[in-house]
Amino acid sequence: MLKDRAIWLLAIGQTLIWAGIYYVFPALLLRWELALGWSKADLTEAILLAVLASAIGAPIAGRIIDRGAGPEMMGLCAGLAGLGVVAVSQVSQLWQFYALWIGIGAMMAGCLYEPCFAMITRARGAQAKRAIVFVTLLGGFAGTIGFPVVHYLSGAVGWRVALAVMGGFEVLVVAPMLWAGASALQGKRIKGVPKPPATDRAFLRRPVFWLVGLAFASIALVHGMTLHHLLAILNERGLSAEFAVFIAGMVGVMQVAGRVAMTLADRLFSHHGFVVIAFLTLGASVTILGVSGSDPGLALAFVTLFGGAWGTISILRPVIARDLLGEGDFGAKSGSLAVMYLTAAALSAWAGALIWQVGGYGVMLICAIGLAGLAMALYGVAFRMADRPEAA
């Protein structure tokens, strides 16, 4: 990986696109609430709509990748998403906020992890896991960069200027980087990796496909509900804003730590074993957050487990999809799975806000723990039903 220019460009590009496009939303949620006067439920509906738009676009992105136009798609989508973030800096009406985030979400379908991993899997086949691990190792620092940069930049020059700076950087630097990396990857496709056949939708009739999709969708709800409301939860517990930002930023660091631990323990556990560990650990982390109160030590324990578990899950999703569903036509399979995953991710922040309105964050965290258990059960059934469970 150290000499692979394509993977380096994609890894750095993914880190910066997540920091500048995705993480600006949770980083600015409280500032928007105070500055614009819109409720958490109103604001989080925007990210719901954004990720729903990404879910709708995911199968289209998958087909574009299978037809060989992935690099052009990735560069264009990253640039347009950056322009969308710049435009958000000028909003004054809620409908404008929604419309822009829908557009940004549609572009996310073509430039974030889903299309990146699909292109890597398509180009590298069985060797894709190492490249995906490397991309996500660097990508884990996206939150570590995004939260503090947006927090301090918006504090210094205001949230509008901060957004304009972040979006402009995505257009001028990150979009060309992703295009160059994806082009180099496609140009060095490993010999022997089969070209995907014409799109065959037979996998949609397999129960394993739906069970895997719903399992990871459930875990996406757990992650999104917790992450998007993390600053508000810690603030409600009486922890300082600086410490809350530190904890949120540590999610990325712990993602990297989890991925390193997974790499070191690669020979000790199968892919299936890692999934079980990750799901259980994510549920345990939310449980700790639920009982942590204002104890900073428990908050640190939460972020260690939460970030570490999520760091491995983001690697395991494409790997498990390939293991249980096969490599052929992977762009279409990945895109179709992403519809469920991204729809759940879209609903997560908004659902968390609705639950908070009804019963507070304590009830929201209890629901998240239950969803982690549901994800474990669904995945267990999928693994037992798979044609080739030994491949996992």
Side-chain angles (χ1 to χ4, degrees):
M1 291 299 107
L2 294 179
K3 296 182 179 180
D4 196 327
R5 176 175 173 269
I7 300 303
W8 268 104
L9 287 170
L10 288 173
I12 296 171
Q14 283 297 310
T15 303
L16 297 174
I17 196 78
W18 278 91
I21 300 296
Y22 186 84
Y23 283 106
V24 296
F25 198 99
L28 288 174
L29 183 60
L30 293 179
R31 291 187 186 274
W32 284 331
E33 186 179 17
L34 292 173
L36 299 171
W38 303 330
S39 70
K40 285 188 181 72
D42 286 338
L43 288 165
T44 52
E45 281 180 14
I47 198 66
L48 180 157
L49 294 170
V51 188
L52 280 178
S54 181
I56 293 170
I60 299 171
R63 289 195 290 272
I64 292 172
I65 290 168
D66 282 338
R67 291 171 183 170
E72 294 81 3
M73 176 192 72
M74 180 166 279
L76 179 62
C77 287
L80 291 175
L83 288 175
V85 171
V86 173
V88 172
S89 70
Q90 302 302 309
V91 299
S92 59
Q93 302 294 323
L94 188 59
W95 71 265
Q96 298 169 341
F97 192 72
Y98 287 166
L100 287 170
W101 277 104
I102 289 171
I104 293 169
M107 295 304 100
M108 287 179 182
C111 64
L112 295 186
Y113 274 160
E114 299 293 338
C116 181
F117 294 164
M119 279 188 277
I120 291 173
T121 302
R122 183 175 181 269
R124 299 294 170 84
Q127 299 180 34
K129 181 183 173 184
R130 289 183 61 205
I132 290 172
V133 168
F134 186 77
V135 170
T136 54
L137 278 175
L138 288 188
F141 289 108
T144 307
I145 296 169
F147 274 106
V149 168
V150 173
H151 175 75
Y152 291 112
L153 189 59
S154 58
V157 297
W159 67 266
R160 293 185 185 275
V161 175
L163 275 181
V165 170
M166 298 296 284
F169 183 78
E170 300 301 320
V171 175
L172 298 175
V173 177
V174 181
M177 184 180 298
L178 288 173
W179 172 80
S183 297
L185 177 73
Q186 188 156 285
K188 293 184 178 180
R189 190 169 177 177
I190 292 177
K191 294 180 181 180
V193 176
K195 184 178 180 180
T199 301
D200 179 4
R201 297 294 178 179
F203 63 85
L204 293 174
R205 298 191 291 272
R206 294 181 60 195
V208 171
F209 169 84
W210 294 101
L211 289 166
V212 169
L214 290 171
F216 281 102
S218 298
I219 218 70
L221 281 170
V222 177
H223 175 260
M225 288 167 63
T226 307
L227 179 67
H228 281 286
H229 292 274
L230 184 56
L231 293 180
I233 292 171
L234 296 176
N235 180 67
E236 186 179 84
R237 302 289 173 84
L239 296 168
S240 69
E242 290 74 17
F243 185 74
V245 170
F246 168 74
I247 290 294
M250 284 296 291
V251 172
V253 176
M254 291 302 105
Q255 284 180 350
V256 174
R259 289 160 187 165
V260 170
M262 179 181 175
T263 302
L264 295 175
D266 194 47
R267 296 184 179 181
L268 299 178
F269 300 99
S270 65
H271 298 159
H272 168 67
F274 279 120
V275 170
V276 172
I277 293 169
F279 281 17
L280 291 176
T281 302
L282 196 70
S285 72
V286 179
T287 302
I288 291 172
L289 181 62
V291 301
S292 65
S294 59
D295 187 333
L298 288 178
L300 286 170
F302 151 75
V303 76
T304 300
L305 297 178
F306 182 81
W310 189 251
T312 62
I313 288 169
S314 58
I315 294 172
L316 290 165
R317 284 197 302 113
V319 172
I320 288 295
R322 178 183 177 275
D323 285 348
L324 300 188
L325 299 174
E327 185 177 300
D329 210 14
F330 190 78
K333 290 175 182 174
S334 177
S336 297
L337 282 171
V339 172
M340 286 183 277
Y341 176 82
L342 292 172
T343 299
L347 291 169
S348 62
W350 179 72
L354 290 183
I355 298 171
W356 169 76
Q357 286 182 332
V358 173
Y361 282 128
V363 174
M364 189 199 81
L365 293 174
I366 290 172
C367 292
I369 295 166
L371 285 167
L374 175 63
M376 186 70 259
L378 290 168
Y379 174 75
V381 175
F383 179 76
R384 288 192 295 271
M385 290 182 64
D387 292 336
R388 297 180 298 158
E390 70 278 3

